[in-house]
Amino acid sequence: MTQKSISLRAWMELLLLGGIWGASFLSNAVILREMGFLSVVAFRVTGAALILWVYVWLRGLAVPRDPRIWAAFALSGVMNTALPFALITWGQTHIASGLASILNCSTAIFGVLVAALVFADERLTRRKLAGIGLGFAGAVTVIGPDAVRGLDLTAWAQLALIGAALCYALAGAFNRARLSGLTPQVAAAGMLTASSLIIVPVALMVEGVPTFAYGGLTWVAIAYLSIAATALAYLLYYRVLAMAGSGNVLLVTLLVAPVAILLGAMFLNETLSLRAYAGFTLLAAGLVVIDGRILKRRRAAGAMPPPAH
């Protein structure tokens, strides 16, 4: 069976998606100064769902009526947004945004393993394993050994981020199996609606009714999370999912970490050491190995006879 690969267009959209989601860690950190973590998630998914339904209505897209599809939306909403968003945002109340992003990189590792178990066209190859290993090593290098030594102090937050990564991996396979036949806009709107119906009552019970008396920067961060990091990002996510497969789309988490770390250094005074540049180099090498096209071209060039002089 033909294996899923990543086209140049898919890579470009993965890069854009990585940048968008990388900035979401900074946005979370800003909002958490004035709001509980569950309320952050509630604002994020509810705002994004409303935006996407307006888009669906303006485009005249068909809304599914099959109860089985809405049940799939509910499961996807839990696995792909409500639970991982809550775990990540809670984790960021105890650890720095850069460390949160590096732990989130394990999504790609879990994703490739889950996809290999579920789909025949996403088998686990040695090249893919090597590339993911390089990418993860690069992200770890960006953070440095100081973060590793600090893991014991924030163990539950670390586990929360790992749990979120596993949720994303399972959701990637589930979404490809159950939702990839839908238009990306409808799939994202349905998933976020289900997520809103779950997280909003929980946030109200645990944290109470929001005051809405937040600063301007907080509202900008909320708008970014809802519009760019969720509504727009999930449209890109489903497009790349269809083009590249569930294991490949989760490689975006390897692109998220450098963006989150850089923004944390710029705006949150998180230290960006010289190790960061070595980490970016390893990350880039990992992406080259995973893609494979440059390596294939070099082998093909090596096999060609030298030009005549």
Side-chain angles (χ1 to χ4, degrees), residues 284-302:
L287 294 175
V288 168
V289 172
I290 290 167
D291 185 44
R293 285 180 294 182
I294 293 179
L295 299 177
K296 290 178 181 178
R297 289 172 184 170
R298 291 192 63 180
R299 284 196 295 266

Side-chain angles (χ1 to χ4, degrees), residues 40-59:
V40 174
V41 179
F43 270 102
R44 178 177 183 175
V45 297
T46 303
L50 291 173
I51 292 168
L52 287 174
W53 281 124
V54 169
Y55 183 88
V56 168
W57 176 68
L58 291 175
R59 291 285 305 274

Side-chain angles (χ1 to χ4, degrees), residues 25 97-109 130-148 251-262 270-287:
F25 287 89
S97 61
L99 182 55
S101 68
I102 185 61
L103 292 168
N104 190 54
C105 284
S106 59
T107 299
I109 296 172
I132 289 173
L134 280 171
F136 190 72
V140 171
T141 303
V142 170
I143 295 295
D146 291 340
V148 176
L251 298 174
V252 70
T253 58
L254 296 175
L255 306 173
V256 168
V259 176
I261 293 162
L262 180 61
E270 296 176 3
T271 302
L272 187 64
S273 68
L274 291 176
R275 291 188 301 268
Y277 300 102
F280 279 118
T281 302
L282 285 171
L283 178 57
L287 294 175

Side-chain angles (χ1 to χ4, degrees), residues 27-227:
S27 297
N28 281 339
V30 170
I31 302 170
L32 285 168
R33 296 170 179 173
E34 295 193 74
M35 190 184 300
F37 76 97
L38 290 172
S39 296
V40 174
V41 179
F43 270 102
R44 178 177 183 175
V45 297
T46 303
L50 291 173
I51 292 168
L52 287 174
W53 281 124
V54 169
Y55 183 88
V56 168
W57 176 68
L58 291 175
R59 291 285 305 274
L61 300 175
V63 178
R65 300 180 182 276
D66 189 341
R68 291 174 296 181
I69 294 179
W70 282 95
F73 284 155
L75 288 173
S76 181
V78 172
M79 291 189 296
N80 212 43
T81 52
L83 185 54
F85 282 4
L87 290 170
I88 290 171
T89 310
W90 177 81
Q92 282 195 252
T93 64
H94 299 280
I95 60 177
S97 61
L99 182 55
S101 68
I102 185 61
L103 292 168
N104 190 54
C105 284
S106 59
T107 299
I109 296 172
F110 288 130
V112 169
L113 294 175
V114 170
L117 292 173
V118 176
F119 302 113
D121 60 351
E122 295 197 49
R123 67 173 183 263
L124 202 59
T125 64
R126 286 181 293 179
R127 177 176 56 80
K128 188 176 290 187
L129 274 175
I132 289 173
L134 280 171
F136 190 72
V140 171
T141 303
V142 170
I143 295 295
D146 291 340
V148 176
R149 286 197 292 269
L151 287 178
D152 291 341
L153 301 177
T154 52
W156 286 109
Q158 320 300 323
L159 291 174
L161 268 295
I162 295 298
L166 182 57
C167 286
Y168 283 138
L170 294 171
F174 179 83
N175 290 339
R176 182 189 168 191
R178 297 297 181 89
L179 300 179
S180 59
L182 300 173
T183 58
Q185 300 89 340
V186 172
M191 177 192 66
L192 289 167
T193 299
S195 180
S196 300
L197 293 175
I198 294 166
I199 199 66
V200 169
V202 175
L204 290 173
M205 286 188 294
V206 175
E207 298 175 350
V209 179
T211 66
F212 294 95
Y214 307 120
L217 188 60
T218 297
W219 282 114
V220 170
I222 291 172
Y224 177 83
L225 279 182
S226 294
I227 298 170

